Amino acid sequence: MDVGLLFDLRNPEGWKRPWADHYAQSLEFCEEADRRGAGGLWFTEHHLFEDGYLPQPLTFAAAAAARTRNARICTSVVLPALRKPAQLAEEAAIVDLVSGGRLELGMGAGYRVPEYDLMDADFTRRFRLTEENIREVRRLWEEGGVTPGPIQDPVPLWGGFYGPRGARMAGRLGIGLLHISHELFPHYREGLVEGGHDPATARVSGLLPIILADDPDEAWARVAPFLAHQMNSYRQSSVEGTDRPRPPIIHPDEFRKRTSNAPWGALKILTPADAAAQIKETTEGLPVEHLIFWASIAGMPDDLTARNIELVSEELPLLLGP
């Protein structure tokens, strides 16, 4: 297993900084993680978030690739149903070229109606479109349907899905499952068999909702407003464009009342030693390749982000072992 860091580039009102400065600082964090030995830099996608959630992960991935040397350059996830397959194949190939063959392309179906409306895509067909477009991207690369092609042959592909249907789809496509889950793994293996793939080729990676800190209790008090913003934005955006009622707003005090031993469900703030013990238990028996951690929670203070990157990249791997 290697360790990596996920960047979503959120920049909320209340602690917002100029966008150019925010992107520059995020690229510096990518460089720092690469220097400290992080195995992967992961970039994710959403559209129409008020806090400017990263809408074009491959564009930022290319910039990060040009500023780093060793870390894998990854998406978790890009949404192929919102793009023409040839466009996605070209953009991803360029990232692989710029990075010197370090791309890991994670793809998912998404869950927000407004994003599909923005890109004039059919939300009701998102799983079918996702599968069709993944197959087409792979065909274009294999047959030289776009030029230039990527360095890697094949580019590692991942399916970022959170339910049985998506896990089975990832298996059927013969790609990795970008979700560490004992519950979903049997569905993924069934999909591999269904698609004619050797179950022994199964590979799993995924985001662990963990931030590392030297003093988790102290960090909780500082992270609480940022986590509240993150949770509220996800919860509110998930019902936009639907008839479902808006969920209640979470107040930061709900997080401040928690301790590192009893965190609110969305996040754990742990020391490297405690995180290593929990990760070993969580991943036991699964063919895990990449562990992914939040680099920052909704633009949290830079000193917390820098220390989190340092602990994830340097100290945690020593505790996890080979």
Side-chain angles (χ1 to χ4, degrees), residues 99-120:
S99 68
R102 290 183 280 140
L103 175 66
E104 305 257 343
L105 187 63
M107 295 168 281
Y111 62 87
R112 294 189 65 226
V113 173
E115 296 179 326
Y116 276 75
D117 290 344
L118 176 68
M119 300 298 182
D120 196 27

Side-chain angles (χ1 to χ4, degrees), residues 34 65 68-73 96 99-104 152:
D34 184 55
T68 59
R69 293 293 177 266
N70 300 305
R72 302 293 292 175
I73 303 297
D96 199 51
S99 68
R102 290 183 280 140
L103 175 66
E104 305 257 343
Q152 297 178 96

Side-chain angles (χ1 to χ4, degrees), residues 15 48 82 172 218 249 280 292 311 322:
W15 48 86
L48 302 176
L82 303 187
R172 196 164 54 241
E218 186 272 340
I249 296 296
K280 288 177 181 178
I292 309 168
L311 293 174

Side-chain angles (χ1 to χ4, degrees), residues 10-302:
R10 289 176 181 268
N11 189 21
E13 295 292 340
W15 48 86
K16 183 176 182 179
R17 59 181 146 198
W19 277 109
D21 294 346
H22 184 59
Y23 270 60
Q25 178 63 73
S26 298
L27 285 170
E28 288 183 13
F29 281 140
C30 290
E31 287 186 272
E32 181 70 9
D34 184 55
R35 283 195 297 269
R36 292 187 178 276
L41 303 172
W42 299 77
F43 308 103
T44 183
E45 172 180 355
H46 269 305
H47 302 268
L48 302 176
F49 269 57
E50 291 182 359
D51 60 13
Y53 199 120
L54 180 61
Q56 296 295 336
L58 286 169
T59 301
F60 195 81
R67 300 272 290 266
T68 59
R69 293 293 177 266
N70 300 305
R72 302 293 292 175
I73 303 297
C74 323
T75 58
S76 179
V77 293
V78 66
L79 306 178
L82 303 187
R83 295 166 174 78
K84 296 290 187 183
Q87 176 193 2
L88 178 55
E90 289 181 341
E91 290 181 350
I94 295 302
V95 174
D96 199 51
L97 291 167
V98 172
S99 68
R102 290 183 280 140
L103 175 66
E104 305 257 343
L105 187 63
M107 295 168 281
Y111 62 87
R112 294 189 65 226
V113 173
E115 296 179 326
Y116 276 75
D117 290 344
L118 176 68
M119 300 298 182
D120 196 27
D122 187 349
F123 182 79
T124 64
R125 298 182 62 242
R126 63 191 182 281
F127 282 99
R128 178 176 295 181
L129 289 170
T130 297
E131 181 170 4
E132 290 175 354
N133 288 1
I134 291 173
R135 292 187 184 278
E136 180 62 8
V137 166
R138 188 159 53 189
R139 185 195 69 80
L140 288 167
W141 284 340
E142 290 173 349
E143 299 180 5
V146 295
T147 57
I151 293 174
Q152 297 178 96
D153 183 18
V155 172
L157 303 181
W158 297 89
F161 305 112
Y162 287 85
R165 178 181 181 180
R168 196 178 188 101
M169 180 200 304
R172 196 164 54 241
L173 289 164
I175 63 180
L177 178 62
L178 200 55
H179 189 182
I180 298 172
S181 168
H182 287 275
E183 291 74 24
L184 291 184
F185 188 69
H187 298 282
Y188 171 54
R189 282 179 57 89
E190 290 170 5
L192 286 169
V193 173
E194 181 182 336
H197 308 287
D198 183 354
T201 63
R203 53 197 174 94
V204 173
S205 298
L207 175 66
L208 300 175
I210 294 173
I211 289 288
L212 297 187
D214 298 298
D215 184 343
D217 290 332
E218 186 272 340
W220 262 117
R222 299 181 64 197
V223 172
F226 303 88
L227 179 57
H229 171 85
Q230 183 193 69
M231 288 291 296
N232 285 323
S233 68
Y234 274 134
R235 285 156 56 91
Q236 298 299 318
S237 68
S238 68
V239 301
E240 290 179 356
T242 75
D243 295 329
R244 289 177 290 164
R246 287 187 175 273
I249 296 296
I250 301 170
H251 193 273
D253 285 345
E254 295 185 44
F255 299 103
R256 290 194 178 100
K257 296 173 185 175
R258 308 286 172 163
T259 70
S260 60
N261 294 320
W264 212 87
L267 182 74
K268 294 182 179 181
I269 303 181
L270 302 170
T271 64
D274 288 340
Q278 293 193 23
I279 289 166
K280 288 177 181 178
E281 181 179 348
T282 299
T283 60
E284 185 176 3
L286 295 176
V288 178
E289 290 191 5
H290 305 291
L291 300 172
I292 309 168
F293 301 83
W294 288 109
S296 171
I297 300 296
M300 69 188 193
D302 285 348

